[in-house]
């Protein structure tokens, strides 16, 4: 993507005033998206993102600059401007650049940019059809499709030079059921780190059906009870609680600022013994996977918590300097317009041995959260508040009537200690995680888990 | 700088019999964050990109590119054309087709482009230093920033439009955290200007601390209806939150409470609301809008009566009226929508001191939270967590907190009984900037203790 000689010169220029590390990240991304609302194409857009960013370190201080103009002159000016922002007496040489060839274990059979737009609209029509066939009370269906092909080039003063291509596609359904003045919505949005062949496996019509099924159950549901009770959170998107309330606190971005409850706790018991949690960027074709991170480091499978003991943080280059640990290949960014920082990939609680039936059998009165919705976490403290998209009452070990409006209120670090049982049905769900370095694709995941008690907010 | 490429793309579109609009947006920005007198974050950027909108037999298609080379632009054109084929025919969509001489506005200050990085850093450092020096209770200054940027917009189309505009501005902001025993308070202040000399970091630091200190010893408020006096910044925040009610698109979609209210009373006779894209010294002034339509000075509410909505060409065509020049794009990647420019409530005749002196028992509001979740721009209802001061017998007696203020935006405008002389614009928010003087509302519902 960029000429080796130019890259070398730009890195040298960037380090000319004493930076001890310089990096260049260039990108060309082709993106397509289609929104299908009320059975017509509401919006179809496509475009090309194109640019490069240069990052410098002076110890643990970081400088970031970016531009859309990838000519030699422009990049040299940019590097010069970055260098002007600070100075030190130290002089570090740029190592000779060695091209690193990486082999992707992820298979892309059908590149989405080779598929006709009309075929993509056809998928959306199927989503709409599935939703309306599933549930008679569906009043509105919004279906959307997106694909992206990101080509990146990364080189740094340590001699690294590497290129990578990331292909992703995703489809989503948001179905609204209406009865009288009431409205309830259901949502389902599967995606892959791969190509259009994904839709051979995941049928668009089923995506619409699932969203409509949830909306249909919830429009007929009563309000949830409130109070502290045992809760079984089922697999897939249930992992969002771990992601938000624990995952972010295990990123060096928060650990290095001492803004994390897990800072300084490596090797300590932070969760109950049944909990093993992993952040794995290597899983074939999973939404949050990468071959290399956005700093050019090979991605890894990082065990965060093993049998309740904190084993590792998620570490990027700058964060690693701050906390004195090696990168775990976790440096990610939305695009060249962001400096990278430590981020999650496919983050999940590993499968245990219990079946859902065994877990239910232990609960006399409680809540079964089949699907989780969105929520928020107070930064630093880990206190969270998440809505339950699809919930049911548990009575005497049986799943009973559906309930709406339930929220789970708690504290990430405390809930980790209250996980009593872990199921055998690990599944992932796809999302886009927003943080300092922008929105990046991440998987949340878990098997069903039983939390001994959690505060349920209802009406 | 890419004009030749754009011209040949327009020729290419004409040959294909397609109407094409090119929206080119480029800029430069610098942002600096200081913590403990060290530059914690430094970022320079020079983003640029092209957004294409084309109309092919009534079908509209969009695409964008940050790669501005002839081949990439032709590719973007083909993409937009393909996208258009998926959309439905809509007869109201057309490109701007009028010739005019754009107004001359002084929105670009060449001096700002010459300011050195070290001078910019000193502004951010001065905020933190003056805040810490101002009061021993300052715990830290977690947010100390300087940023500036310039932007250039070019709009060209196959109907002959070819317009260019540039502007620049700088901001400095500071937030101080203060602690007195168990009580933690925050204070925030900022300055926005295209004149670097006006960005007085020390003043921002002092004022941020002043605002925080004033909140110490805050008490709860008994629930009830009170006269509520919004200071100019919180009043502008309310205006910004509900500004979408003036969009003709929302009116046409049945999503605005101003629908059907033209020439009717929607506010107290003291209220004059104007959207002036041509305002001298306006932070977001521009001679033309995002589709190349001439800007205007548009009275929206005159003596409390609704006189106008904000239109772009499409929404104007639907009603057979003329655009008001309020087409806006969030960026070259977004579609053409509608947004306010410099939207403000004109200043009134009563000084803030006299307004307070006239209040027997009421609340002055200086901070509002939860604007995203607590306001419904469609119904106009709001319920917001607030902080401020209690007023008794015409005097501020003590700070108050832990209460919510609720009501309805239109109802609130109708109950404006005083408009202050202390007019101020907020910082720009995308293509829009909101301003007002302080406003006294006859009464609003307050839920406290």
């Amino acid at each position: 993507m960029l000429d080796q000689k130019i890259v070398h010169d730009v890195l040298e220029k960037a380090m000319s005033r004493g930076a001890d590390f310089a990096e260049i990240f260039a990108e060309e991304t082709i993106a397509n998206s289609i929104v299908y609302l009320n059975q017509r194409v509401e919006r179809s857009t496509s475009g090309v993102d194109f640019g490069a960013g240069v990052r410098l370190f002076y110890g643990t201080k970081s400088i970031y600059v970016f531009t859309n103009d990838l000519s030699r002159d422009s990049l040299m000016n940019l590097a010069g401007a970055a260098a002007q922002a600070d100075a030190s007496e130290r002089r570090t040489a740029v190592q000779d650049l060695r091209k690193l060839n990486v082999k992707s274990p992820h298979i892309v059979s059908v590149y989405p940019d080779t598929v006709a737009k009309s075929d993509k609209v056809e998928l959306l029509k199927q989503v709409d059809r599935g939703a309306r066939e599933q549930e008679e009370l569906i009043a509105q269906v919004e279906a959307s499709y997106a694909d992206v092909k990101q080509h990146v080039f990364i080189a740094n003063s340590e001699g690294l030079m590497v290129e990578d291509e990331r292909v992703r596609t995703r489809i989503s359904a948001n179905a609204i059921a209406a009865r009288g003045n009431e409205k309830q919505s259901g949502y389902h949005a599967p995606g892959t780190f791969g190509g259009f062949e994904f839709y051979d496996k995941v049928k668009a019509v089923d995506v619409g059906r699932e969203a409509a099924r949830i909306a249909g159950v919830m429009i007929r549901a009563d309000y949830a009870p409130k109070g502290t009770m045992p809760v079984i959170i089922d697999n897939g998107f249930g992992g969002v609680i771990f992601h938000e309330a624990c995952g972010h606190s295990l990123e060096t971005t928060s650990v290095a600022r001492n803004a994390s409850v897990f800072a300084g706790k490596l090797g300590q018991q932070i969760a109950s013994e049944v909990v093993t949690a992993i952040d794995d960027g290597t899983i074939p074709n999973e939404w949050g996977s990468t071959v290399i991170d956005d700093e050019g480091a090979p991605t890894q499978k990082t065990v965060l918590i093993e049998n309740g003991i904190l084993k590792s943080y998620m570490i990027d280059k700058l964060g690693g300097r701050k906390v004195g640990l090696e990168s775990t290949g976790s440096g990610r960014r939305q695009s060249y317009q962001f400096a990278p920082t430590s981020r999650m990939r496919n983050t999940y609680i590993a499968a245990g041995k219990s079946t859902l039936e065994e877990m239910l059998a232990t609960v006399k009165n409680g809540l079964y959260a089949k699907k989780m919705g969105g929520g928020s976490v107070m930064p630093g403290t880990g206190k969270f508040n998440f809505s339950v998209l699809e919930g049911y009452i548990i009575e005497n070990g049986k799943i009973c009537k559906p309930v709406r409006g339930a929220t789970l209120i708690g504290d990430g670090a405390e809930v980790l200690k209250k996980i009593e049982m872990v199921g055998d049905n690990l599944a992932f769900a796809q999302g886009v995680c927003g943080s300092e370095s922008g929105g990046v694709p991440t998987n949340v995941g878990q098997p069903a888990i039983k939390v001994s008690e959690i505060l349920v907010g209802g009406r | 700088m890419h004009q030749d490429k754009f011209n040949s793309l327009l020729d290419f579109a004409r040959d294909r019999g397609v109407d094409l609009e090119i929206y080119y947006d480029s800029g430069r920005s610098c942002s600096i964050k200081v913590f403990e007198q060290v530059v914690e974050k430094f970022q320079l950027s020079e983003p640029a990109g092209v957004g294409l909108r084309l109309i092919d037999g009534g079908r509209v298609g969009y695409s964008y590119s940050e790669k501005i080379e002839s081949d990439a632009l032709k590719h973007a054109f083909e993409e937009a054309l393909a996208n258009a084929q998926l959309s439905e025919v809509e007869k109201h969509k057309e490109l701007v087709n009028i010739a005019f001489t754009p107004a001359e506005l002084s929105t670009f200050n060449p001096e700002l482009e010459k300011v050195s990085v070290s001078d910019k850093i000193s502004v951010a450092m001065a905020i933190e230093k003056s805040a810490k020096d101002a009061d021993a209770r300052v715990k830290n200054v977690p947010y100390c920033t300087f940023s500036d940027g310039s932007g250039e917009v070019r709009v060209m189309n196959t109907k002959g439009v070819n317009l260019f505009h540039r502007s620049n501005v700088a901001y400095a902001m500071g937030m101080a955290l203060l602690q007195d025993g168990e009580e933690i308070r925050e204070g925030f202040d900022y300055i926005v200007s295209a004149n670097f000399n006006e960005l007085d970091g020390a003043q921002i630091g002092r004022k941020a601390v002043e605002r925080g200190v004033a909140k110490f010893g805050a008490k709860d408020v008994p629930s009830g209806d009170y006269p509520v006096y919004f200071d100019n910044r919180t009043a502008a925040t309310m205006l910004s939150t509900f500004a979408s009610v003036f969009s003709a698109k929302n009116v046409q979609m049945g999503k605005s409470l101003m629908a059907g209210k033209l020439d009717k009373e929607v506010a107290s006779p003291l209220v004059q609301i104007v959207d002036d894209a041509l305002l001298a010294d306006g932070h977001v002034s521009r001679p033309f809008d995002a589709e190349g339509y001439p800007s205007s000075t548009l009275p929206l509410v005159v003596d409390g009566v609704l006189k106008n909505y904000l239109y772009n060409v499409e929404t104007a065509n639907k009603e057979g009226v003329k655009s008001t020049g309020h087409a806006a794009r969030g960026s070259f990647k977004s579609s053409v929508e509608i947004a306010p420019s410099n939207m403000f409530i004109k200043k009134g005749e009563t000084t803030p001191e006299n307004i307070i002196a006239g209040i027997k028992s009421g609340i002055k509001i200086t901070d509002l939270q939860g604007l995203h979740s607590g306001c419904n721009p469609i119904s106009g209802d709001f319920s917001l967590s607030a902080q401020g001061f209690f007023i008794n017998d015409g005097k501020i007696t003590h700070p108050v907190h832990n209460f919510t203020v609720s009501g309805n935006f239109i109802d609130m405008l109708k109950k404006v009984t005083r408009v202050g002389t202390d007019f101020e614009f907020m910082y720009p928010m995308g293509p829009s900037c909101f301003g007002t003087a302080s406003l006294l509302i006859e009464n609003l519902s307050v839920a406290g203790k």
Side-chain angles (χ1 to χ4, degrees):
Chain A
M1 205 170 166
L2 291 175
D3 178 80
Q4 186 165 339
K5 176 78 174 70
I6 294 176
V7 170
H8 188 95
D9 292 352
V10 168
L11 293 173
E12 270 198 339
K13 175 93 178 176
M15 291 176 60
S16 60
R17 283 170 45 100
D20 58 280
F21 173 80
E23 169 195 80
I24 180 163
F25 175 93
E27 167 184 15
E28 178 163 358
T29 294
I30 299 167
N32 288 287
S33 71
I34 306 171
V35 178
Y36 187 77
L37 175 68
N38 295 330
Q39 298 180 304
R40 62 193 288 254
V41 173
E42 172 78 4
R43 196 165 58 247
S44 172
T45 39
S46 32
V48 178
D49 291 14
F50 181 73
V54 172
R55 185 166 65 142
L56 304 187
F57 291 164
Y58 288 86
T60 55
K61 276 161 68 182
S62 142
I63 301 202
Y64 194 67
V65 296
F66 67 83
T67 181
N68 298 112
D69 183 351
L70 268 54
S71 66
R72 180 192 164 89
D73 285 354
S74 161
L75 291 173
M76 289 298 277
N77 279 339
L78 191 71
Q84 290 302 316
D86 209 333
S88 89
E89 294 302 315
R90 185 163 26 176
R91 288 293 174 269
T92 310
V94 176
Q95 304 293 306
D96 285 337
L97 294 166
R98 300 170 307 273
K99 171 108 190 180
L100 175 69
N101 289 307
V102 287
K103 196 160 160 31
S104 171
H106 310 280
I107 296 156
V108 181
S109 310
V110 183
Y111 277 78
D113 52 350
T114 65
V115 176
K117 289 180 196 287
S118 54
D119 290 349
K120 297 172 185 174
V121 172
E122 186 50 41
L123 284 182
L124 298 176
K125 288 180 177 168
Q126 288 170 25
V127 169
D128 182 273
R129 181 165 60 83
R132 290 176 202 273
E133 280 174 5
Q134 169 73 29
E135 172 54 59
E136 59 182 6
L137 295 178
I138 292 302
Q140 182 182 304
V141 181
E142 180 171 339
S144 62
Y145 168 89
D147 64 56
V148 63
K149 183 169 84 175
Q150 183 194 37
H151 185 102
V152 302
F153 171 101
I154 305 163
N156 70 30
S157 56
E158 293 165 351
L160 174 84
M161 190 166 81
V162 62
E163 294 190 53
D164 189 22
E165 185 179 75
R166 292 92 176 250
V167 177
R168 287 189 173 86
T169 176
R170 191 179 188 199
I171 193 165
S172 78
N174 188 7
I176 298 175
R179 193 166 65 168
N181 287 330
E182 286 189 76
K183 283 181 181 167
Q184 289 286 319
S185 63
Y187 180 73
H188 188 48
T192 186
F193 183 60
F196 208 74
E197 68 280 0
F198 180 64
Y199 303 107
D200 295 338
K201 196 176 68 179
V202 171
K203 296 293 179 196
V205 66
D206 295 335
V207 175
R209 280 204 185 106
E210 175 63 2
R213 185 192 64 75
I214 298 168
V217 169
M218 297 319 286
I219 194 93
R220 296 174 178 89
D222 288 333
Y223 282 95
K226 56 185 173 188
T228 299
M229 62 187 82
V231 175
I232 294 172
I233 306 168
D234 211 345
N235 63 1
F237 201 67
V240 70
I241 298 182
F242 182 80
H243 170 105
E244 297 287 356
C246 304
H248 282 296
S249 301
L250 293 170
E251 295 168 341
T252 44
T253 320
S254 83
V255 174
R257 274 185 207 142
N258 231 340
S260 164
V261 291
F262 303 121
K265 297 227 170 123
L266 281 178
Q268 295 181 26
Q269 185 92 31
I270 61 161
S272 82
E273 283 174 11
V274 292
V275 177
T276 290
I278 295 166
D279 180 63
D280 187 353
T282 67
I283 310 170
N285 293 105
E286 274 302 336
W287 179 245
S289 294
T290 60
V291 179
I292 51 167
D293 73 1
D294 293 322
E295 304 180 310
T299 193
Q300 294 180 14
K301 176 176 181 174
T302 308
V303 176
L304 304 171
I305 299 169
E306 191 171 25
N307 302 327
I309 296 176
L310 179 59
K311 289 288 179 182
S312 177
Y313 299 119
M314 287 168 275
I315 308 164
D316 64 317
K317 210 170 187 88
L318 183 64
R321 283 186 172 207
K322 289 180 179 170
V323 299
L325 294 165
E326 285 293 308
S327 160
T328 53
S330 303
R332 302 186 72 191
R333 53 179 128 196
Q334 178 179 326
S335 74
Y336 69 91
Q337 299 204 347
F338 296 83
T341 185
S342 54
R343 302 296 295 272
M344 284 174 258
R345 298 166 296 209
N346 304 301
T347 314
Y348 61 95
I349 295 174
K353 295 199 171 74
S354 309
T355 63
L356 182 59
E357 287 67 34
E358 285 165 5
M359 298 166 87
L360 286 165
T362 65
V363 179
K364 190 159 181 333
N365 287 298
L367 184 78
Y368 168 58
K370 184 171 167 68
K371 296 261 173 175
M372 291 303 300
S376 65
V377 179
M378 292 278 285
T381 63
K383 292 206 185 311
F384 66 78
N385 189 323
F386 280 90
S387 66
V388 178
L389 186 60
E390 184 185 355
Y392 299 83
I393 296 286
I394 307 172
E395 273 174 20
N396 298 321
K398 295 266 180 327
I399 296 171
C400 298
K401 61 173 188 173
V403 286
R404 64 165 80 159
T407 54
L408 304 185
I409 301 160
D411 175 306
E414 276 177 26
V415 164
L416 279 182
K417 292 178 182 154
K418 290 182 181 165
I419 298 176
E420 279 186 349
M421 298 173 88
V422 177
D424 56 3
N425 59 343
L426 172 64
F428 295 114
Q430 293 71 50
V432 174
C433 167
S435 185
E436 258 178 60
S437 59
V440 299
T442 54
N443 255 351
V444 300
Q446 66 173 41
I449 57 168
K450 182 195 166 194
V451 182
S452 59
E453 56 170 26
I454 198 164
L455 178 62
V456 177
R459 193 164 99 165
Chain B
M1 105 196 200
H2 300 293
Q3 275 224 67
D4 291 348
K5 289 174 215 161
F6 296 159
N7 275 320
S8 52
L9 187 66
L10 291 173
D11 286 341
F12 184 72
R14 284 190 194 98
D15 290 346
R16 302 275 292 265
V18 170
D19 289 342
L20 175 68
E21 173 187 87
I22 299 174
Y23 177 89
Y24 172 67
D25 190 349
S26 71
R28 163 204 75 72
S29 81
C30 170
S31 90
I32 295 162
K33 198 172 165 193
V34 164
F35 187 65
E36 306 287 352
Q37 293 296 299
V38 172
V39 176
E40 193 187 43
K41 185 182 159 195
F42 184 90
Q43 185 165 308
L44 286 178
S45 63
E46 292 176 3
V50 168
L52 300 184
R53 177 169 65 145
L54 60 75
I55 305 180
D56 179 26
R59 296 175 198 273
V60 177
Y62 284 95
S63 68
Y64 62 86
S65 182
E66 292 181 340
K67 201 173 193 176
I68 307 168
E69 293 160 11
S70 299
D71 286 352
L73 291 173
K74 282 220 173 101
H75 179 74
F77 175 86
E78 300 296 347
E79 282 291 318
L81 199 59
N83 286 329
Q85 305 320 309
L86 304 179
S87 71
E88 314 278 327
V89 173
E90 288 187 54
K91 60 180 185 207
H92 298 299
K93 301 202 176 184
E94 60 172 354
L95 300 182
V96 170
N97 188 13
I98 54 170
F100 67 101
T101 310
E104 289 201 16
L105 298 169
S106 54
T107 51
F108 186 82
N109 177 8
E111 295 304 312
L112 182 59
E113 302 301 306
K114 296 176 193 159
V115 177
S116 72
V117 165
S118 56
D119 285 349
K120 295 176 188 180
I121 292 172
S122 336
V123 173
M125 289 194 169
I127 298 172
E128 188 183 50
K129 184 159 190 322
S130 79
K132 287 196 165 168
D133 291 348
D135 197 293
R137 292 168 291 183
V138 173
K139 201 174 156 216
N140 62 35
V141 190
Y143 193 71
C144 257
T145 62
F146 174 93
S147 55
D148 72 338
S150 68
E152 297 185 1
V153 170
R154 183 175 289 280
V155 180
M156 301 173 80
N157 74 24
T158 45
K159 305 282 186 185
V161 166
N162 183 3
L163 297 162
F164 173 78
H165 171 64
R166 66 176 179 170
S167 59
N168 59 5
V169 73
Y171 316 61
M173 304 193 176
M175 187 183 87
L177 217 54
L178 297 96
Q179 185 164 16
D180 191 355
E182 293 286 286
E183 205 178 346
I184 295 176
R185 300 288 168 193
E186 61 177 50
F188 173 74
D189 195 47
Y190 61 86
I191 297 176
V192 184
S193 176
N195 182 353
F196 183 74
N197 296 326
E198 287 178 13
L199 293 150
D200 183 344
Q203 182 192 315
I204 294 169
R206 276 194 309 273
K207 280 206 174 168
V209 172
E210 250 172 54
R211 284 168 185 262
V213 167
K215 294 176 191 168
F216 278 128
K219 295 176 185 166
D220 294 337
V221 194
S223 297
D225 282 1
Y226 292 91
V228 171
Y229 179 43
F230 288 96
D231 76 357
N232 53 13
R233 288 184 184 177
T234 49
T237 305
M238 293 294 283
L239 179 64
S240 74
T241 307
F242 288 101
S244 60
V245 299
F246 294 106
S247 153
K249 185 165 185 182
N250 287 334
V251 171
Q252 290 169 3
M253 287 166 65
K255 286 185 179 175
S256 166
L257 55 147
M258 292 291 178
K261 297 265 170 70
L262 217 51
D263 292 318
K264 298 209 169 91
E265 198 178 289
V266 294
S268 136
L270 295 175
V271 175
Q272 321 287 342
I273 306 180
V274 182
D275 190 285
D276 190 357
L278 300 171
L279 186 72
D281 303 327
H283 292 317
V284 297
S285 295
R286 46 168 175 78
F288 54 89
D289 72 3
E291 53 186 350
Y293 199 89
S295 292
S296 63
T297 299
L298 186 73
L300 291 168
V301 173
V302 177
D303 301 334
V305 175
L306 181 67
K307 285 293 175 191
N308 253 312
Y309 300 116
L310 307 173
Y311 288 93
N312 58 11
V313 167
E314 183 191 348
T315 51
N317 284 353
K318 274 190 188 159
E319 292 178 35
V321 297
K322 283 192 171 156
S323 170
T324 56
H326 285 92
R329 297 175 86 144
S331 85
F332 56 86
K333 294 184 183 181
S334 345
S335 53
V336 174
E337 302 294 341
I338 291 176
S341 62
N342 302 296
M343 182 186 273
F344 57 96
I345 299 178
K346 280 191 187 172
K347 78 169 175 182
E349 292 176 346
T350 321
T351 62
E353 295 73 29
N354 285 341
I355 292 177
I356 290 170
I359 300 171
K360 177 129 184 54
S361 169
I363 294 167
K364 177 182 176 182
I365 291 180
T366 54
D367 285 80
L368 288 171
Q369 280 104 40
L371 286 145
H372 288 292
S373 50
C375 291
N376 182 338
I378 298 173
S379 68
D381 292 337
F382 61 85
S383 175
L384 297 165
S385 164
Q387 295 181 57
F389 299 90
F390 202 78
I391 301 167
N392 197 32
D393 280 336
K395 287 202 175 59
I396 285 180
T397 55
H398 59 269
V400 287
H401 67 165
N402 293 341
F403 65 95
T404 57
V405 57
S406 53
N408 182 280
F409 183 63
I410 287 225
D411 187 49
M412 171 181 142
L413 286 181
K414 283 188 175 167
K415 291 199 284 198
V416 170
T417 53
R418 293 279 184 278
V419 180
T421 51
D422 54 340
F423 182 87
E424 189 180 303
F425 269 111
M426 289 170 73
Y427 44 86
M429 300 158 89
S432 312
C433 189
F434 301 91
T436 161
S438 52
L439 300 176
L440 175 62
I441 315 301
E442 193 179 356
N443 59 65
L444 284 173
S445 169
V446 169
K449 266 253 154 105

